[in-house]
Each structure stands twice: as structure tokens, then as C-alpha cells.
Amino acid sequence: MRKEFVVKQISLDAWQIQHLSDLLEKGSNIVARTNKPIVLYRQTLEEEDESYEEIVCTLTKGYVIEQMVTSGGILVPSFHQQFVFTIEEYPQELLRKSKDRFLEMVDFLDEQLR
């Protein structure tokens, strides 16, 4: 019984990864036509007075970019970290980091790309 569950879970994960890859590819094609990146999510990490630190994740032509940005108040926006993933590798990376964020992104892209 346990082995069957594990096989089904692996199959479900593989399907979800492929589904998100397909959505990212579709979105990437739209970005290529419009020349405007799609913001996949923003996550505020820290707020202090009028400034904040956040992760901004965008979809560009062929890539997903996660950037850690500090801005607001008297601070000039600055980038502390930037991670660039291909569309093929990002779904697996995101699933490893956060199942909830993975599912939120699938829902977001399903809605946006109708």
C-alpha cells in the first residue's frame, strides 16, 4: 500500500512540474511578444519604517528571475541577490522550496493565461 502511494505521489509531482513548465512556456511566449515581464509573485521579507526588503519573481523570455530587493523611504532600490532559472528547471526548484507557493503560481498562471 505504501509503495503504491509513493508511486502515485511521484507521478502527481511529475505531472504538476510539467504543467507548471507548460504554463511558464506559454507565459514566456507572451512576454516575447509584448516585451513586458510577468510578475509571478512578490514576498515581503522585512519592513522597517517606510523601507522594505522583498523577493520579486518575474517571468521573462525563457527564464524565471528571483531578485531580493530593498527599497522605499529614503533608500534607493538595490538588488542584493538574483537567481536566474530556465523555465525547465524552475518548477522543480520551486516545488523543493515551497509546495504552497508552487500551487499558488499554478493557480495564478492558469487564471492569467486563459
Side-chain angles (χ1 to χ4, degrees):
M1 181 73 173
R2 179 81 181 133
K3 185 176 181 182
E4 182 180 319
F5 173 76
V6 171
V7 170
K8 285 182 180 180
Q9 184 62 44
I10 290 169
S11 296
L12 178 61
D13 287 351
W15 180 85
Q16 288 178 319
I17 287 168
Q18 185 58 54
H19 182 57
L20 182 54
S21 292
D22 293 345
L23 290 170
L24 290 170
E25 185 67 42
K26 188 175 179 182
S28 179
N29 291 335
I30 292 169
V31 169
R33 285 196 311 272
T34 63
N35 236 6
K36 184 177 178 190
I38 297 171
V39 176
L40 299 172
Y41 72 87
R42 299 176 89 109
Q43 177 187 3
T44 302
L45 301 174
E46 188 177 326
E47 287 185 71
E48 189 174 308
D49 298 321
E50 294 177 19
S51 63
Y52 56 92
E53 185 175 71
E54 70 177 339
I55 295 175
V56 179
C57 182
T58 53
L59 176 60
T60 64
K61 184 180 177 195
Y63 297 94
V64 175
I65 303 170
E66 287 184 350
Q67 300 173 92
M68 188 175 298
V69 184
T70 301
S71 60
I74 60 170
L75 296 175
V76 176
S78 62
F79 297 91
H80 298 284
Q81 289 182 321
Q82 185 176 57
F83 299 99
V84 180
F85 303 93
T86 65
I87 287 173
E88 295 78 27
E89 65 189 3
Y90 187 70
Q92 190 127 4
E93 176 70 17
L94 182 60
L95 188 59
R96 186 185 63 75
K97 285 182 188 175
S98 170
K99 179 88 170 172
D100 289 341
R101 168 103 349 119
F102 183 97
L103 296 172
E104 288 169 9
M105 190 175 294
V106 168
D107 289 345
F108 171 76
L109 288 172
D110 272 336
E111 181 69 28
Q112 294 296 309
L113 302 177
R114 284 186 185 174

